[in-house]
Amino acid sequence: MKDQQAKHIIITGGVISGLGKGIAAASLGMLLELKHKKVTIQKLDPYLNVDPGTMNPFQHGEVFVLDDGTETDLDLGHYERFCDVNMTKANNSTAGSIYFEVLEKERRGDYLGGTVQIIPHVTDEIIKRIEKPEKIDPDLDIVITEIGGTVGDIESLSFLEAVRQFQQSRGRENVIILHVTLIPYIKASEELKTKPSQHSVMRLREIGLQPDILLCRTQYPLSEDVRQKLALFTNVRPEAVIQGLDANSIYEVPLLLQQEHLAGIVMEKLALENIESDTTQWEIFVNRILNPEHEITVAVAGKYTAMIDAYKSIIESFVHAGVDNRCKVNIEFVDAEDLETDSGLEKILGHVQGVLVPGGFGSRGIEGKIRASQYARENKIPYLGLCLGLQVAVIDYARNVLKLENANSEEFDEDSPHPVIHLMLSQHHVTHKGASMRLGAYDCTLKTGTKSYDTYGKKNISERHRHRFEVNNAYRDQLDEAGMIISGTSPDNELVEMIELADHPWFLATQAHPEFKSRVTNTHPLFRDFVKAALIFKNK
């Protein structure tokens, strides 16, 4: 166990949202790991939802699920993918969860009748969240904390005040502030403008926080004059004014930040020995992304296609699988409702080399998803079903192969004569939606001699889940006899976890969300083999 406490990096954002604080945090974490530091990253979000689990993907993008079942912000997916670590509940907190904890303490009488206030009670709870990762793992060298939102938002004031108190108690050599800001380019005058960043830092300093490093998102390289001007008006050392150039791939970002010596600057400001780091393997990975040898097109038939961040982990899993197959994967996001007519089906799916149906909730577009599965099955197109993607494959098979008229899921038709998908027994009395599904990592036993087994290369696996409905065991024998192989089940054989088709080149579906476990250094085997099958299909 270490004698000293962990060092802390607080990442804030200014000017506008969506600047890529999560990618910056993940990239910095990876670069610090290359300097042989044990790093973790956490996200503190200022919204009042207890977690993102009940939020509409159109508003907030993907809900990323951890092994322990925690529903988190999608940035935790970036943290896991870049740093190849498993996050836990301690790595994501919202204002809602923090206020909930404070109010619970008040109800229990923990505050001994005192008046409960933002300062010190809420800020104390925020500080506890900042410190929590190092309490869980005393061997951590560095904790990176990303504060969601934008400086100046009312919601984030209590978080920034907590950071001020935390830095004051720990010392500036132990807690540094990295501020991500925007340097807009004005085309008419052909100038990069620093004023928005100056005002953003001004707001931060009014709160009592002085940035140690300024990470400037920009379309064009920062000249020395621009860096000096920013340094002068923000009180940041010129060498700590870092440019964050737009990149062709998010996986280029660590290499661009390495060129700016960001990790070295952080090490020096935290009074840590700055050792050399080797990014060769990462450079090879990025080179393969930018220089593929093959190309395929895959259709993703979903209902949140107007907000592709709802499928962020799927997108990144295809990047990883593409690298493994030296292949560029072009993703065509298809609104499932557009697949509900024969003409739309052929027009949209007739040219693709693979079909993926992702998870989702609600009945909108469900018939289109069922038809997408049917089209892939009948035309021998490689198919990968994720969560709901397994359920629609079972519904299609029941209707069109077993000829069970009006077969459906209880989620979409409670009166179906053939509920081949039904509500889990444990879900029948659930009234609260938040964190009440089958969530997190569950074990699965694969059947030997199947494509599923060959894909994973082992019998016992674990995948992350997020769903309420399951395959109805009353129909398992009929499905199996007709050629749908139940290739994976729960260890007690009670729950169907994976299915595949005996008479199809590559048709696999899982009740889980394997996209949550694909990493830069460890591509998920289902995505790897799906892309490989799509390449074979294209070449035929």
Side-chain angles (χ1 to χ4, degrees), residues 284-514:
I284 292 171
F285 178 81
V286 171
N287 182 62
R288 289 182 176 176
I289 293 175
L290 302 179
N291 300 286
E293 297 174 7
H294 313 284
E295 191 169 347
I296 60 168
T297 299
V298 171
V300 174
K303 62 183 289 187
Y304 309 116
T305 53
M307 174 65 163
I308 62 172
D309 268 359
Y311 304 109
K312 192 64 179 172
S313 289
I314 290 173
I315 295 169
E316 302 311 324
S317 296
F318 273 128
V319 174
H320 308 159
V323 167
D324 272 21
N325 287 280
R326 302 295 182 91
C327 175
K328 179 182 180 182
V329 181
N330 298 307
I331 305 173
E332 292 188 359
F333 287 98
V334 178
D335 189 325
E337 289 182 290
D338 294 337
L339 300 174
E340 294 178 358
T341 64
D342 291 337
S343 59
L345 196 68
E346 181 63 38
K347 181 180 179 181
I348 294 169
L349 299 183
H351 65 286
V352 304
Q353 289 85 50
V355 175
L356 183 148
V357 175
F361 299 93
S363 60
R364 184 174 68 81
I366 196 65
E367 290 301 322
K369 293 181 181 182
I370 295 169
R371 288 167 67 83
S373 173
Q374 180 184 2
Y375 187 89
R377 175 177 59 81
E378 294 177 345
N379 291 279
K380 307 300 183 185
I381 302 171
Y383 176 86
L384 178 59
L386 310 179
C387 194
L388 181 61
L390 177 144
Q391 296 174 11
V392 298
V394 171
I395 295 169
D396 158 49
Y397 213 75
R399 288 180 184 179
N400 300 304
V401 178
L402 296 180
K403 304 301 181 183
L404 300 177
E405 190 174 353
N406 296 321
N408 214 325
S409 166
E410 287 181 343
E411 182 179 5
F412 315 124
D413 182 4
E414 293 181 354
D415 299 320
S416 169
H418 297 290
V420 291
I421 307 295
H422 66 162
L423 189 65
M424 297 163 56
L425 185 62
S426 62
Q427 292 289 319
H428 275 278
H429 304 293
V430 169
T431 55
H432 284 64
K433 298 297 184 185
S436 57
M437 293 179 278
R438 183 149 79 103
L439 288 165
Y442 285 86
D443 292 335
C444 169
T445 302
L446 297 179
K447 187 176 181 179
T448 56
T450 62
K451 288 188 179 71
S452 300
Y453 180 87
D454 292 342
T455 293
Y456 281 90
K458 55 186 178 181
K459 188 172 183 177
N460 299 309
I461 63 169
S462 174
E463 293 287 5
R464 297 177 185 178
H465 291 63
R466 185 175 186 254
H467 62 100
R468 299 181 191 280
F469 291 80
E470 302 278 359
V471 174
N472 189 336
N473 286 335
Y475 293 89
R476 276 171 63 169
D477 288 344
Q478 293 180 66
L479 291 167
D480 185 64
E481 290 168 5
M484 177 172 278
I485 301 168
I486 309 299
S487 54
T489 62
S490 57
D492 61 6
N493 199 38
E494 286 299 309
L495 302 174
V496 173
E497 290 284 2
M498 292 194 70
I499 60 101
E500 58 186 72
L501 297 183
D503 61 349
H504 194 288
W506 207 93
F507 189 109
L508 272 70
T510 172
Q511 187 62 78
H513 286 271

Side-chain angles (χ1 to χ4, degrees), residues 69-129:
T70 305
E71 296 174 292
T72 72
D73 183 82
L74 62 82
D75 277 330
L76 271 79
H78 294 311
Y79 305 163
E80 289 203 346
R81 285 186 284 270
F82 277 60
C83 298
D84 195 18
V85 294
N86 287 332
M87 300 288 167
T88 70
K89 185 177 182 179
N91 293 89
N92 193 202
S93 294
T94 69
S97 69
I98 289 164
Y99 280 103
F100 189 86
E101 179 65 23
V102 169
L103 293 174
E104 283 284 293
K105 288 180 177 179
E106 185 272 333
R107 293 288 84 186
R108 289 197 303 264
D110 291 8
Y111 299 123
L112 304 177
T115 302
V116 179
Q117 298 176 289
I118 300 296
I119 303 171
H121 302 101
V122 172
T123 52
D124 281 353
E125 186 61 34
I126 294 171
I127 290 169
K128 285 181 182 177
R129 304 295 175 101

Side-chain angles (χ1 to χ4, degrees), residues 11-193:
I11 297 182
T12 59
V15 184
I16 61 172
S17 61
L19 285 179
K21 295 194 302 295
I23 298 296
S27 299
L28 178 56
M30 187 278 285
L31 292 171
L32 292 170
E33 284 185 336
L34 291 180
K35 292 184 180 292
H36 306 298
K37 294 300 175 186
K38 190 172 185 182
V39 181
T40 195
I41 314 175
Q42 63 179 334
K43 178 77 179 284
L44 302 184
D45 268 313
Y47 52 74
L48 287 177
N49 303 68
V50 174
D51 59 47
T54 59
M55 295 173 73
N56 190 320
F58 282 124
Q59 288 194 21
H60 200 68
E62 171 185 81
V63 176
F64 190 81
V65 179
L66 308 181
D67 273 352
D68 64 10
T70 305
E71 296 174 292
T72 72
D73 183 82
L74 62 82
D75 277 330
L76 271 79
H78 294 311
Y79 305 163
E80 289 203 346
R81 285 186 284 270
F82 277 60
C83 298
D84 195 18
V85 294
N86 287 332
M87 300 288 167
T88 70
K89 185 177 182 179
N91 293 89
N92 193 202
S93 294
T94 69
S97 69
I98 289 164
Y99 280 103
F100 189 86
E101 179 65 23
V102 169
L103 293 174
E104 283 284 293
K105 288 180 177 179
E106 185 272 333
R107 293 288 84 186
R108 289 197 303 264
D110 291 8
Y111 299 123
L112 304 177
T115 302
V116 179
Q117 298 176 289
I118 300 296
I119 303 171
H121 302 101
V122 172
T123 52
D124 281 353
E125 186 61 34
I126 294 171
I127 290 169
K128 285 181 182 177
R129 304 295 175 101
I130 295 173
E131 294 176 323
K132 194 170 185 178
E134 64 181 295
K135 302 280 185 172
I136 295 172
D137 184 359
D139 291 328
L140 282 170
D141 297 304
I142 298 173
V143 177
I144 300 173
T145 302
E146 176 193 346
I147 308 293
T150 307
V151 170
D153 294 345
I154 291 174
E155 291 91 343
S156 61
L157 285 175
S158 57
F159 288 84
L160 296 175
E161 168 59 21
V163 169
R164 185 194 67 78
Q165 295 177 26
F166 182 64
Q167 187 181 51
Q168 187 179 52
S169 67
R170 290 284 188 103
R172 289 195 59 173
E173 72 281 3
N174 297 313
V175 182
I176 63 172
I177 312 295
L178 188 157
H179 190 55
V180 183
T181 186
L182 177 68
I183 307 294
Y185 177 75
I186 306 301
K187 189 174 181 180
S189 60
E190 298 183 340
E191 285 182 292
L192 289 169
K193 307 299 281 187

Side-chain angles (χ1 to χ4, degrees), residues 235-279:
N235 202 31
V236 174
R237 298 289 301 170
E239 64 272 14
V241 177
I242 303 296
Q243 68 181 15
L245 279 169
D246 290 352
N248 293 318
S249 165
I250 60 171
Y251 299 101
E252 282 187 276
V253 174
L255 301 178
L256 294 173
L257 295 180
Q258 176 79 341
Q259 292 173 14
E260 293 286 294
H261 309 292
L262 174 60
I265 293 167
V266 166
M267 296 287 278
E268 291 169 10
K269 288 187 176 294
L270 290 174
L272 296 169
E273 183 184 0
N274 183 22
I275 62 174
E276 290 296 318
S277 54
D278 183 3
T279 58

